[in-house]
């Protein structure tokens, strides 16, 4: 009996070893499919087999070794399963000593789980076994802390105290900032990395390009591209895709297309990136042309590609084309639409002022609409004076999602549009009781290699006085040119003069005034806003572009607006 059991355990160990080896290799990739899908198929197939092999509750751990335990731990870590930590405890209780590969596997599981206290406990165990100076373990610890809520400070403190930093350490910390929505800190850290003498690699470049994209920092992104070429950093397909994404999100579609056309080898991600960029800029016809070209050269569009083309149609008013692609994905490619695809169709109908058709479409959806779709309908109702319908939808959202501030803001704005000031006040009071706050409007602008942030009504800028003087000058010039403030955008029960003054202090106007002060005549202005640009600021920016002879590029939450000679590329359709 003992011999039989040992023989079975031996075969089990060999199988696990062979399987572990296979985990380090990908399937032969099909570049016309999303590479993430390729990788996940491989990992999940191996994971299922490995876990089925590791369920022997009566297994004789005397026949195990550290490698085998690491393989078991890794199998759970791939699935972000807390059993990775349980397996570590099992390993330690069985008397086996972890090596430098054990803790990175466990910490990756902790990062996926996002439990800070659990991660701290594993950190303590790693230190106990002498891994506090192991760069591989410490880098994974930084990643783990950065993946946990309220863990970013722990990640930075650990990074700063590391005795043996390498280029991976810097990349990991930059990745923490990018994922946490703090791209400015990532750019700052990259500059420190250069001063410290560490050579960035391909991964570093992909991360810093992502940070530039988030900030809309075109000049920084251009410098990164030249740095890549100058330093002869390995240029993979992923790096080229990151360059396309950066240029598109920074408002330079010409450069995005240049990089795309210069690629010898493309993946579906490459095509999706450039089509998505066209969508953001409202270049719907160009996006349709690229989508058709992609299919003609043999690429099979996936779910993400269809989101890109549907979004492009939505932002360009191509309602019929959007519906054609929506049905094409089901009938020709057998892709069942997900909530994101339905959301694009609803958005398209709402932007085309077809609110009733949008409601009918939602009613016929085979899956339940999510809150984003309902908020899209509510915003459209407010814009097109379908206030009673908007009130019913937003009141339902508040009831279903009482902790989401956007729902209260939508209902409050509906009541303001209806001049129901008492109801609006009640909603604002309810927000205060629940501790909810409306997200303030902020605008970023890159000037002379520095990122400046402006907040609506903020007076803390050291040149605030000069900015206000510039705003006053802009206001006088615009009124002479025929501008009239859209005071209906101020949803407060105050007099018209106060409403006009409140509009004049919106964050994008502060940023544009600052740019007019700090840049030479005729220089283009690029800004990034966190919210949808309001009607008044959109109108004012058209006047400013004509009066001051400036090309102004605004990226808001939904799309790009190219202002030139008093006209916007969106054709007032956003």
């Amino acid at each position: 009996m003992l011999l039989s059991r040992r023989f079975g355990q031996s075969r089990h160990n060999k199988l696990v070893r062979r399987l572990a080896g296979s985990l380090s290799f990908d399937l032969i990739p099909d570049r016309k499919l999303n590479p993430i899908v390729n990788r996940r198929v491989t990992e999940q197939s191996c994971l299922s087999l490995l876990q089925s092999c590791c369920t022997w509750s009566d297994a004789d751990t005397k026949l195990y070794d550290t490698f085998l335990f690491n393989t078991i731990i890794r199998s759970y870590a791939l699935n972000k399963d807390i059993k990775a930590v349980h397996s570590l405890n099992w390993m330690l209780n069985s008397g086996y000593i972890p090596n430098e590969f054990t803790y990175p596997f466990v910490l990756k599981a902790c990062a996926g789980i996002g439990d800070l206290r659990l991660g701290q406990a594993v950190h303590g165990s790693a230190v106990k076994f002498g891994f506090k100076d192991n760069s591989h373990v410490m880098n994974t610890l930084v990643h783990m802390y950065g993946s946990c809520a309220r863990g970013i400070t722990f990640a930075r403190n650990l990074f700063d105290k590391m005795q043996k930093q390498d280029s991976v350490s810097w990349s990991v910390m930059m990745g923490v900032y990018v994922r946490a929505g703090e791209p400015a800190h990532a750019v700052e850290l990259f500059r420190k990395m250069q001063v410290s003498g560490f050579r960035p690699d391909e991964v570093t470049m992909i991360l810093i390009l992502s940070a530039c994209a988030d900030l809309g920092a075109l000049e920084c992104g251009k410098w990164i591209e030249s740095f890549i070429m100058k330093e002869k950093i390995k240029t993979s397909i992923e790096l080229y895709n990151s360059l396309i994404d950066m240029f598109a999100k920074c408002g330079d579609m010409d450069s995005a297309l240049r990089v795309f056309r210069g690629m010898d080898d493309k993946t579906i991600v490459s095509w999706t990136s450039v089509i998505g960029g066209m969508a953001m800029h409202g270049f719907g016809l160009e996006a349709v042309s690229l989508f058709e070209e992609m299919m003609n050269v043999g690429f099979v569009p996936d779910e993400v590609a269809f989101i890109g083309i549907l979004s492009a149609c939505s932002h360009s008013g191509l309602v019929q084309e959007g519906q054609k692609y929506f049905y094409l994905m089901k009938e020709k490619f057998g892709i069942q639409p997900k909530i994101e695809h339905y959301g694009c169709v609803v958005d398209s109908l709402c932007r085309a002022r077809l609110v009733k058709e949008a409601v009918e479409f939602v009613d016929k959806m085979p899956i339940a609409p999510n809150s984003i779709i309902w908020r899209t309908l509510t915003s459209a109702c407010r814009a097109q004076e379908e206030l009673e319908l908007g009130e019913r939808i937003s009141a339902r959202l508040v009831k279903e999602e009482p902790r989401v501030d956007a729902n209260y803001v939508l209902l409050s704005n509906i009541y303001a549009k209806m001049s129901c000031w008492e109801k609006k006040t009640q909603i604002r009071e309810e927000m205060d009781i629940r501790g909810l706050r409306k997200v303030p409007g902020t605008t970023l602008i890159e000037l002379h290699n520095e990122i400046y942030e402006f907040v609506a009504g903020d007076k803390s800028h050291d040149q605030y006085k000069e900015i206000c003087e510039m705003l006053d000058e802009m206001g006088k010039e615009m009124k002479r040119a025929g501008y009239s403030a859209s005071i209906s955008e101020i949803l407060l029960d105050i007099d018209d003069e106060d409403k006009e003054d409140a509009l004049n202090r919106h964050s994008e106007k502060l940023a544009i005034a600052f740019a007019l002060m700090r840049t030479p005549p005729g220089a283009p202005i690029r800004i990034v806003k966190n919210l949808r640009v309001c009607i008044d600021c959109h109108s004012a920016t058209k006047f400013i572009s004509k009066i001051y002879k400036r090309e102004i590029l605004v990226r808001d939450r939904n799309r790009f607006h190219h202002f030139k000679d008093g006209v916007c590329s969106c054709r007032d359709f956003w």
Side-chain angles (χ1 to χ4, degrees), residues 347-387:
D347 185 61
S348 176
L349 292 169
C350 287
R351 288 175 187 275
R353 305 183 185 281
L354 302 172
V355 178
K356 292 182 179 179
E357 289 83 348
V359 172
E360 291 174 2
F361 180 81
V362 171
D363 288 339
K364 295 177 182 177
M365 284 171 51
I367 56 178
N370 61 9
S371 57
I372 296 174
I373 288 177
W374 289 122
R375 281 194 281 270
T376 300
L377 283 172
T378 303
S379 297
C381 289
R382 175 181 160 239
Q384 296 165 49
E385 302 294 331
E386 297 281 352
L387 301 179

Side-chain angles (χ1 to χ4, degrees), residues 114-144:
D115 188 325
L116 181 61
R117 294 185 66 180
L118 178 65
Q120 287 173 323
V122 176
H123 183 180
S125 176
V127 171
K128 178 181 177 181
F129 281 94
F131 292 104
K132 67 176 182 178
D133 294 324
N134 183 284
S135 59
H136 189 38
V137 174
M138 299 310 287
N139 290 340
T140 315
L141 274 166
V142 172
H143 168 75
M144 180 276 296

Side-chain angles (χ1 to χ4, degrees), residues 278-463:
M278 290 295 183
M280 285 190 294
H281 288 263
F283 301 151
L285 293 176
E286 293 84 348
V288 168
S289 177
L290 280 165
F291 192 84
E292 294 293 333
E293 180 186 347
M294 176 187 72
M295 291 191 292
N296 288 338
V297 297
F299 282 88
V300 178
D302 60 7
E303 297 172 355
V304 180
F306 274 106
I307 290 174
I309 192 61
L310 290 173
S311 177
C313 293
S314 173
H315 286 299
S316 303
L318 304 176
V319 178
Q320 291 183 346
E321 288 83 351
Q323 291 181 339
K324 180 190 79 172
Y325 285 116
F326 179 76
Y327 292 109
L328 184 70
M329 67 181 291
K330 294 188 294 182
E331 296 170 2
K332 182 175 181 179
F333 296 99
I335 300 175
Q336 287 302 313
K338 293 188 176 180
I339 194 68
E340 294 84 0
H341 303 102
Y342 285 104
C344 286
V345 176
V346 173
D347 185 61
S348 176
L349 292 169
C350 287
R351 288 175 187 275
R353 305 183 185 281
L354 302 172
V355 178
K356 292 182 179 179
E357 289 83 348
V359 172
E360 291 174 2
F361 180 81
V362 171
D363 288 339
K364 295 177 182 177
M365 284 171 51
I367 56 178
N370 61 9
S371 57
I372 296 174
I373 288 177
W374 289 122
R375 281 194 281 270
T376 300
L377 283 172
T378 303
S379 297
C381 289
R382 175 181 160 239
Q384 296 165 49
E385 302 294 331
E386 297 281 352
L387 301 179
E388 291 184 3
L389 176 59
E391 180 187 9
R392 290 199 300 273
I393 296 173
S394 52
R396 172 181 172 177
L397 279 169
V398 167
K399 185 177 180 180
E400 292 180 354
E401 297 181 333
R403 298 298 305 170
V404 178
D405 62 307
N407 297 333
Y408 292 88
V409 173
L410 281 171
L411 183 55
S412 173
N413 291 347
I414 289 287
Y415 284 141
K417 196 84 171 181
M418 298 170 72
S419 297
C420 297
W421 302 111
E422 185 176 344
K423 289 185 177 180
K424 173 183 167 64
T425 301
Q426 290 175 354
I427 291 297
R428 293 293 183 174
E429 288 175 349
E430 181 68 19
M431 288 182 69
D432 290 338
I433 292 171
R434 294 183 179 275
L436 302 174
R437 293 289 182 271
K438 180 181 178 181
V439 176
T442 63
T443 298
L444 299 174
I445 183 169
E446 179 193 28
L447 289 178
H448 314 303
N449 295 320
E450 294 290 337
I451 304 294
Y452 299 89
E453 182 177 30
F454 293 88
V455 182
D458 183 25
K459 301 179 180 180
S460 62
H461 197 280
D462 56 4
Q463 289 187 275

Side-chain angles (χ1 to χ4, degrees), residues 141-157:
L141 274 166
V142 172
H143 168 75
M144 180 276 296
Y145 279 121
S147 301
C148 297
R150 300 181 301 278
I152 193 167
T153 302
F154 292 96
R156 184 56 191 262
N157 288 340

Side-chain angles (χ1 to χ4, degrees), residues 5-259:
R5 182 175 175 183
R6 285 180 179 274
F7 177 71
Q9 188 69 47
S10 175
R11 291 186 63 188
H12 169 256
N13 288 0
K14 289 178 181 178
L15 177 60
V16 172
R17 286 175 183 276
R18 288 178 61 190
L19 183 57
S22 73
L23 284 170
S24 62
F25 297 94
D26 286 330
L27 293 168
I28 298 173
D30 182 349
R31 295 196 181 281
K32 294 181 180 180
L33 294 177
N34 194 318
I36 295 175
V37 174
N38 277 330
R39 186 174 68 250
R40 285 180 178 170
V41 168
T42 308
E43 290 178 351
Q44 289 302 319
S45 298
C46 294
L47 175 61
S48 299
L49 179 57
L50 180 57
Q51 289 182 335
S52 69
C53 296
C54 298
T55 56
W56 295 10
S57 59
D58 62 340
D60 186 352
T61 57
K62 292 179 182 179
L63 299 174
Y64 281 28
D65 58 14
T66 299
F67 177 86
L68 186 58
F69 272 109
N70 285 351
T71 306
I72 296 171
I73 290 170
R74 184 185 182 186
S75 75
Y76 288 122
L78 284 172
N79 216 29
K80 303 175 183 178
D81 194 328
I82 197 170
K83 289 179 182 177
V85 181
H86 297 165
S87 298
L88 173 64
N89 289 333
W90 179 28
M91 175 183 185
L92 298 178
N93 291 335
S94 299
Y96 291 94
I97 305 299
N99 60 20
E100 63 178 347
F101 301 106
T102 307
Y103 284 101
F105 295 152
V106 178
L107 290 167
K108 285 177 183 177
C110 294
I113 296 167
D115 188 325
L116 181 61
R117 294 185 66 180
L118 178 65
Q120 287 173 323
V122 176
H123 183 180
S125 176
V127 171
K128 178 181 177 181
F129 281 94
F131 292 104
K132 67 176 182 178
D133 294 324
N134 183 284
S135 59
H136 189 38
V137 174
M138 299 310 287
N139 290 340
T140 315
L141 274 166
V142 172
H143 168 75
M144 180 276 296
Y145 279 121
S147 301
C148 297
R150 300 181 301 278
I152 193 167
T153 302
F154 292 96
R156 184 56 191 262
N157 288 340
L158 185 62
F159 170 79
D160 289 336
K161 293 176 182 178
M162 286 175 63
Q163 298 295 319
K164 297 179 181 179
Q165 289 180 343
D166 54 22
S167 61
V168 176
S169 311
W170 291 84
S171 296
V172 169
M173 192 63 227
M174 284 181 215
V176 167
Y177 282 131
V178 170
R179 289 192 304 276
E182 299 184 15
H185 286 126
V187 173
E188 180 186 359
L189 191 65
F190 176 71
R191 289 171 177 161
K192 288 184 178 180
M193 178 184 185
Q194 292 177 288
V195 173
S196 301
F198 288 93
R199 177 179 169 80
D201 58 13
E202 176 196 3
V203 175
T204 313
M205 294 296 97
I206 290 173
L207 288 167
I208 200 64
L209 285 170
S210 177
C212 292
D214 290 343
L215 292 168
L218 179 61
E219 295 308 313
C220 181
K222 286 181 175 179
W223 184 89
I224 295 296
E225 184 188 28
S226 63
F227 179 85
I228 291 169
M229 303 307 168
K230 179 183 175 183
E231 298 296 322
K232 294 181 172 57
I233 293 172
K234 178 186 175 184
T235 49
S236 64
I237 294 177
E238 289 74 20
L239 183 54
Y240 279 123
N241 291 344
S242 296
L243 279 167
I244 293 170
D245 183 66
M246 180 276 295
F247 279 124
K249 289 181 178 176
C250 290
D252 189 351
M253 277 308 301
D254 289 338
S255 292
L257 277 170
R258 169 180 57 79
V259 174

